[in-house]
Amino acid sequence: MMKAVFFDRDGVLNEDRGYVFEREEFVWTDGAKEALADLTQAGYALFVVTNQSGVARGYYTEADVRSLHAWMTAEARRAGGDIKAVYYCPYLEGAPVAAYDRKSSWRKPGPGMILQAMADYDIDKRESFLIGDSPRDMEAAERAGIDGYLFTGGSLQVFVNRIIEERRRRGGL
């Protein structure tokens, strides 16, 4: 079984500039690439779980999302971080794009994306956690049965290193 870290994207890995779907708009948060590299070195499997309602709102397409995520994972890899997979939810109840107008357990605070990753990979819940920037991220983590840590800004690398140290102290690793 592998230990894993799940990341929300906007506001955690990249600055939340509202419906980011182009490389030019994607700005890594301070210490994000370093945090991914540190976690990879520490033996964690890394996953991104992100709501992408911009698809349902007609702002961009799923192809745009996949293209940005391919670029993002390649950039992380160049910095020493290995993102195993990115899960995203394009659905939104009441969406203007009819094909995406539906309720989905993948939309956080639903735990669907996390649970799917756990089904796709052999993940140890006890040694895994999520980093997000909103209460809905924390709820999704709780509903998936893993710890959630609320990132409110600053260096993601410093934040991650504090979590790792805290988990070591309490015997979570």
Side-chain angles (χ1 to χ4, degrees):
M1 293 189 89
M2 64 177 73
K3 55 187 180 180
V5 180
F6 298 89
F7 288 93
D8 176 46
R9 195 191 81 184
D10 300 320
V12 177
L13 293 178
N14 63 284
E15 293 179 9
D16 190 350
R17 298 176 162 202
Y19 305 107
V20 173
F21 69 97
E22 296 173 305
R23 295 175 192 181
E24 298 77 28
E25 292 295 314
F26 189 100
V27 177
W28 292 95
T29 57
D30 181 44
K33 287 195 246 182
E34 295 83 356
L36 296 171
D38 289 352
L39 287 165
T40 298
Q41 281 292 319
Y44 283 90
L46 308 180
F47 299 90
V48 177
V49 290
T50 177
N51 288 343
Q52 290 298 311
S53 69
V55 174
R57 298 172 196 276
Y59 300 157
Y60 47 88
T61 67
E62 285 194 71
D64 293 327
V65 173
R66 288 190 298 272
S67 175
L68 180 65
H69 290 160
W71 171 84
M72 178 187 76
T73 57
E75 289 291 303
R77 194 168 294 112
R78 275 193 274 287
D82 182 20
I83 297 171
K84 295 281 184 217
V86 179
Y87 295 83
Y88 68 93
C89 180
Y91 303 107
L92 177 68
E93 282 186 279
V97 178
Y100 296 100
D101 176 10
R102 71 176 171 98
K103 185 176 178 82
S104 172
S105 66
W106 277 41
R107 184 164 178 76
K108 292 179 287 178
M113 290 184 280
I114 301 166
L115 296 175
Q116 186 64 55
M118 289 178 176
D120 293 344
Y121 296 85
D122 191 21
I123 295 173
D124 184 344
K125 281 186 181 186
R126 292 173 301 110
E127 293 196 26
S128 300
F129 59 92
L130 175 140
I131 298 174
D133 68 334
S134 74
R136 76 174 163 255
D137 295 323
M138 299 305 101
E139 185 178 337
E142 182 179 343
R143 290 173 67 186
I146 61 173
D147 292 333
Y149 295 90
L150 186 64
F151 179 67
T152 58
S155 168
L156 186 60
Q157 183 180 31
V158 169
F159 186 76
V160 161
N161 288 334
R162 281 190 199 127
I163 292 169
I164 298 303
E165 185 54 37
E166 172 193 319
R167 292 176 70 85
R168 272 195 193 112
R169 277 198 306 272
R170 71 168 204 232
L173 298 176

